[in-house]
Amino acid sequence: MAALDLLDRRLIDAYQRGLPICERPYAAMAEQLGVSEDEVVERLQSLQDEQVLSRVGPVFDHARAGASLLAAVAVPEAERDEVAAVINRSAGVNHNYAREDLAREDLAREDQAREHRYNLWFVMTAADEGELEARLDALEAELGKPLLRLPMLEGFHIDLGFPIPWAELEVP
Amino acid sequence: MSRSLSITAPETQAEHRLRALLESGLPLTPRPWRTLAEQCAMSEGEVMACVQRWQEVGLIKRMGLVVRHHALGVCANAMVVWDVPDEAVGELGRRLAAEPAVTLCYRRPRRLPDWPYNLFCMIHGTRRDRVLATLDEIVERQALQAIPHRVLFSLKAYKQRGGRYTREDDSHDRRTPQPA
């Protein structure tokens, strides 16, 4: 796990949103944090290199930026890595997770048997609905398994970034 | 269905190019907007005005550091799915979205008989037991005992990167996504 110092944390806490749109944004951030522009640029670069940040930049609204859809497929555990690799190679896939259904005692057993099989979950995006459908159809044909297609119908959350629980991370 | 809503239409070719470039992130150069401007035949001022406009109309939800939580040790990531009566789903979605621990909240279609769940939310945390404790608090606070739900924890990230909505040949990946 990456070791982050105070400046790294201050950058993450202050700038998951509201990156200034001015000619020299990193200088403006540096001024707010009381450090130099070079320091900010170097930190952002090393946080990116260490894969703590996937990028610095915009998060687009899925529904407005183009077409996107959450999909799931049920595969035997032994084939999971192989199928995940096929999904990853598919154009437009940006998130792809193995998930396990946490069987909770309060659920009926037949429910669990029926549903826990969806164990690969991915998001596919495209420029428009037509391209998205074509990509999903092609992947479905390649996998030979039905995809659970779950488009977003309504978004309730305003994405403000996520407050990092630094204190919890320090106490194992 | 999610819409291809052209709220900024007609998008010029230069703007489309800018969006493709922005999807892989802002250059870490002292004048990043100028660097982008040079790559899409716009002026620095035009690029900034365009990005500002995209923020105002909501095409850009936020602009800043996009953190990979897993790399920081925020490893427990639960997708909680709920089977909510249709007439109550909008109201419950708004209530769940207002919970501080909930990082995303969406309504999606049921796919019966396989998939009866129509409301999705994400809860991130450092450990599974903490995420589950948080979920129990939410169930209690929002009185959701009668709403069936399931918890799907992430086991492995095979890919995690920003969405690419522009045509593939318009954007050039500057980084190779790595599994967490």
Side-chain angles (χ1 to χ4, degrees), chain B residues 138-170:
Chain B
I138 291 173
V139 167
E140 187 78 16
R141 190 160 44 237
Q142 303 288 351
L144 304 178
Q145 294 84 352
I147 309 284
H149 72 268
R150 306 185 75 81
V151 185
L152 287 90
F153 273 108
S154 70
L155 200 56
K156 180 170 182 171
Y158 288 104
K159 189 181 265 192
Q160 185 191 20
R161 68 168 201 196
R164 305 290 201 276
Y165 299 97
T166 44
R167 303 271 173 200
E168 289 281 308
D169 56 354
D170 291 336

Side-chain angles (χ1 to χ4, degrees), chain B residues 10-151:
Chain B
E11 194 175 57
T12 67
Q13 211 171 6
E15 286 173 349
H16 189 73
R17 175 95 184 119
L18 173 63
R19 190 140 77 84
L21 289 168
L22 276 172
E23 283 172 355
S24 30
L26 209 53
L28 297 177
T29 52
R31 293 178 69 167
W33 309 113
R34 190 174 63 181
T35 308
L36 288 170
E38 284 160 4
Q39 295 173 59
C40 51
M42 293 169 85
S43 73
E44 185 181 30
E46 282 167 346
V47 165
M48 290 195 296
C50 185
V51 170
Q52 189 81 55
R53 190 175 73 244
W54 285 343
Q55 284 204 137
E56 283 161 12
V57 299
L59 175 65
I60 291 175
K61 287 196 292 187
R62 67 179 166 99
M63 170 84 78
L65 280 59
V66 182
V67 176
R68 295 176 71 254
H69 298 110
H70 214 273
L72 284 179
V74 182
C75 299
N77 154 351
M79 183 173 83
V80 187
V81 297
W82 311 80
D83 176 4
V84 189
D86 290 337
E87 65 278 10
V89 68
E91 191 261 342
L92 179 56
R94 281 182 285 279
R95 277 199 281 145
L96 281 180
E99 283 282 345
V102 170
T103 51
L104 286 171
C105 188
Y106 295 133
R107 181 164 71 84
R108 300 185 187 277
R110 303 174 204 278
R111 298 297 188 204
L112 298 172
D114 280 351
W115 190 257
Y117 304 102
N118 58 344
L119 187 63
F120 286 59
C121 71
M122 300 292 302
I123 303 176
H124 288 83
T126 50
R127 294 194 338 219
R128 285 187 177 193
D129 56 349
R130 290 198 170 117
V131 169
L132 287 175
T134 302
L135 175 60
D136 289 342
E137 286 165 25
I138 291 173
V139 167
E140 187 78 16
R141 190 160 44 237
Q142 303 288 351
L144 304 178
Q145 294 84 352
I147 309 284
H149 72 268
R150 306 185 75 81
V151 185

Side-chain angles (χ1 to χ4, degrees), chain A residues 49-129:
Chain A
D49 294 344
E50 289 162 19
Q51 310 250 343
V52 170
L53 301 182
S54 66
R55 64 193 183 278
V56 175
V59 174
F60 285 98
D61 184 333
H62 294 267
R64 295 183 184 196
S68 78
L69 182 142
L70 175 69
V73 62
V75 298
E77 278 299 303
E79 295 168 25
R80 177 157 58 76
D81 288 352
E82 197 186 326
V83 174
V86 174
I87 293 170
N88 271 3
R89 279 199 301 275
S90 213
V93 170
N94 63 54
H95 280 74
N96 183 10
Y97 282 86
R99 291 191 179 276
E100 61 181 343
D101 197 326
L102 209 70
R104 303 201 89 183
E105 288 161 17
D106 48 339
L107 293 167
R109 183 162 303 164
E110 62 270 27
D111 269 4
Q112 291 178 16
R114 195 178 62 203
E115 288 146 8
H116 84 274
R117 51 204 179 94
Y118 290 110
N119 52 352
L120 278 175
W121 291 80
F122 58 96
V123 175
M124 185 172 271
T125 62
D128 56 50
E129 297 293 342

